[in-house]
Amino acid sequence: MDSRRMIAVIVLVPVLVSLALWAFAWPAARTAPHDLPLGVAGPPTAVAQVEQRLTQREGAFEIHRYADEDAARDAVEDRTVYGAVIAGDRGPKLLTASAAGPAVAQLLQQAVTGQASASGTPVQVVDVVPAPEADPRGAAFGASVLPLALAGIATGTVTTLLGLRGARAVAALVGAAGLTGLVAAAIAHSWLGVVTGDWWAVAGVFGLSTLAVGAGIAGLGALLGRAGLGLGGAVMMLLGNPFSGASSAPEMLPQPAGAIGQWLPPGAGASLLRSVSFFDGAAAAGPALTLTWWAVLGLGAVLLGGALRQRARGDSPAPDRAPAPAAAA
């Protein structure tokens, strides 16, 4: 038995390290635009030239045409595109939104100004939705994903290991997530100022993100036991965190990593937080629905697991008992 355990440790540790390196290092090493939504507007001839230059990088940009600068600006503010190139007689103008991802805004600026510099044409850059002054590079925003994932994993794991079942487990998960949301908003919004927007909405996003992770972990634990806890924790840490795109954008990750990340709570939570904090809730429906489904399905699994356990205990046969001695006459 000891030899088997030793072999298991020797084999499993390198496997886990390999998975962690693949999950974290692969997206970072392959960061580049993949069908990144970008708008163009202006006279048809000038727009065609801009599109031709942009499409030289095959698969990098997904071009959206707009009638004029106002329509393109609205698309940026609605999170339909990450930026827009406005072609004109005096040279191109680039609209960006560093709040949607400072790394993306910098990439677009380098791409457009690099192409224009070859012809000696100056480029005017306008940051339509700027990142907060307290976090101009988005480092603190990206760093917020891991603590929320850890909070959710810890909540779901502790709830399961403490033996909480049914309604009590649901109450513990919801209560812990709600309190986590309030604390996170107090730190990130009130103190650090790295997120803006309505305070209660931000707190709600933090709480819902934590609940989605915690309920998912606890639900798997209720149905599969400790194996479910390990599986849920591995998915959230090895896929949800590095595939979230919080430090850049989902379209900057190699596919299908970016798409997978948006179906998991860390990635959906980061996208929803951007929408609520910087874009007045634009494009919030998709990630909000994803988090809600994780929370609802996870809590449902917790209730189902508790009911199944209670039923199993109720159906188990009572132990045989010796007949009571007859009363003395």
Side-chain angles (χ1 to χ4, degrees):
M1 181 63 68
D2 291 339
S3 299
R4 292 181 180 178
R5 292 177 179 176
M6 180 184 68
I7 293 174
V9 171
I10 294 175
V11 173
L12 286 178
V13 170
V15 170
L16 291 175
V17 171
S18 299
L19 288 174
L21 285 174
W22 166 78
F24 284 86
W26 172 55
R30 296 291 185 268
T31 299
H34 302 278
D35 292 326
L36 186 76
L38 179 64
V40 293
T45 303
V47 166
Q49 294 176 354
V50 171
E51 287 185 355
Q52 183 179 7
R53 290 194 295 266
L54 291 173
T55 54
Q56 290 177 356
R57 301 178 63 175
E58 185 176 357
F61 299 107
E62 179 184 280
I63 305 300
H64 296 246
R65 282 196 176 192
Y66 297 99
D68 51 31
E69 180 178 345
D70 291 338
R73 183 183 293 266
D74 290 340
V76 174
E77 294 175 346
D78 291 339
R79 299 200 70 189
T80 304
V81 294
Y82 283 91
V85 181
I86 313 301
D89 297 334
R90 298 181 180 180
K93 176 190 293 186
L94 174 63
L95 306 181
T96 64
S98 58
V104 179
Q106 184 178 6
L107 169 80
L108 294 177
Q109 186 172 350
Q110 292 174 348
V112 175
T113 57
Q115 293 176 353
S117 62
S119 59
T121 305
V123 178
Q124 180 185 0
V125 180
V126 179
D127 197 349
V128 177
V129 187
E133 295 181 0
D135 189 28
R137 297 182 180 179
F141 185 94
S144 67
V145 174
L146 180 58
L148 290 177
L150 290 176
I153 293 172
T155 301
T157 302
V158 171
T159 299
T160 303
L161 294 181
L162 288 179
L164 297 177
R165 301 284 183 265
R168 291 186 177 182
V170 171
L173 291 167
V174 173
L179 186 57
T180 299
L182 296 177
V183 172
I187 295 174
H189 191 292
S190 302
W191 178 34
L192 298 178
V194 297
V195 294
T196 58
D198 183 76
W199 194 95
W200 289 104
V202 170
V205 173
F206 281 132
L208 182 58
S209 299
T210 304
L211 179 61
V213 176
I217 297 291
L220 289 173
L223 297 178
L224 304 177
R226 298 200 174 195
L229 296 178
L231 175 62
V235 169
M236 297 300 174
M237 286 300 298
L238 297 181
L239 296 181
N241 187 44
F243 291 3
S244 66
S247 59
S248 56
E251 293 84 358
M252 294 290 290
L253 300 178
Q255 295 302 323
I260 293 173
Q262 294 306 296
W263 285 103
L264 296 174
S271 295
L272 182 58
L273 185 60
R274 284 194 192 279
S275 294
V276 169
S277 298
F278 310 126
F279 293 88
D280 295 327
L289 183 61
T290 299
L291 293 176
T292 301
W293 272 113
W294 272 94
V296 170
L297 292 178
L299 295 177
V302 169
L303 294 174
L304 176 61
L308 292 176
R309 286 176 179 271
Q310 186 175 2
R311 181 177 179 181
R313 287 195 300 266
D315 292 345
S316 59
D320 295 334
R321 296 181 180 179

